[in-house]
Amino acid sequence: AFGTPPERTRLSDATLTRLRPTPPLDGAEAEDGRLASEAGAFDVGLCRGDHFSYWRPHIDKVSVPEYEHSALLYLGHHGADFDGGRLTFFDPDADAVVLPEAGLLVSFPSGPPSLHAVERVSRGARFALTMWFTTAPPDPSSPLDSAHAALLEWASRAADAEDPSPSPSPSVSSSLS
């Protein structure tokens, strides 16, 4: 992917992401994320204390330097399952907007060329499997929780089962109908 031999690439992290509408936050509520959490929305930046929000423009590699490639597999349909939630890549010439549809896989470099944001979800829930890949060797001193270990094992088995012959690698593809 992106010029890196597939055999050198491994899953760095993955999460099933559910984005739901968040209430407006102000003052101390914005600092502790209490209302967003009570609404069933999750803002990882508020938990980390870095004020990251998915709807703010960001570069994945800035948050986690190990990330080299990012990918999202959408599990729901924009307009039917949720409103908002469109993925926007910011470019000086023209922004690119991705309309989430179930089965659509979007992959992109995690570094500076990929400044992006997700439009706030205003209705329903937007589900996606979000993945980050790296060529860095795993840190043996970092323990994995059982769910993460199982996901890594599944991803490794799936990668081993794939045809190793090179094929065109579009940045956006649809695998489900």
Side-chain angles (χ1 to χ4, degrees), residues 90-123:
F90 300 99
D91 184 88
D93 297 325
D95 294 344
V97 178
V98 177
L99 189 65
E101 293 296 331
L104 180 67
L105 175 66
V106 179
S107 62
F108 53 95
S110 299
S114 300
L115 178 64
H116 63 282
V118 175
E119 178 183 35
R120 282 182 190 235
V121 172
S122 58
R123 180 194 60 81

Side-chain angles (χ1 to χ4, degrees), residues 2-48:
F2 304 103
T4 303
E7 64 275 7
R8 289 193 47 228
T9 304
R10 68 174 180 84
L11 182 68
S12 173
D13 203 359
T15 185
L16 177 62
T17 307
R18 176 183 71 176
L19 301 180
R20 293 178 32 183
T22 57
L25 300 176
D26 56 9
E29 294 166 343
E31 293 303 314
D32 68 15
R34 181 178 50 81
L35 287 179
S37 178
E38 289 172 3
F42 180 72
D43 186 337
V44 69
L46 291 175
C47 294
R48 289 190 316 218

Side-chain angles (χ1 to χ4, degrees), residues 73-148:
L73 175 62
Y74 292 106
L75 305 176
H77 294 277
H78 180 269
D81 301 316
F82 59 92
D83 290 327
R86 294 178 292 194
L87 175 63
T88 301
F89 291 93
F90 300 99
D91 184 88
D93 297 325
D95 294 344
V97 178
V98 177
L99 189 65
E101 293 296 331
L104 180 67
L105 175 66
V106 179
S107 62
F108 53 95
S110 299
S114 300
L115 178 64
H116 63 282
V118 175
E119 178 183 35
R120 282 182 190 235
V121 172
S122 58
R123 180 194 60 81
R126 174 189 175 268
F127 286 92
L129 176 59
T130 308
M131 302 157 282
W132 297 273
F133 299 89
T134 186
T135 57
D139 180 358
S141 66
S142 178
L144 294 177
D145 61 79
S146 60
H148 194 170

Side-chain angles (χ1 to χ4, degrees), residues 11 150-161:
L11 182 68
L151 181 60
L152 287 172
E153 174 63 26
W154 172 84
S156 176
R157 282 194 316 264
D160 289 345

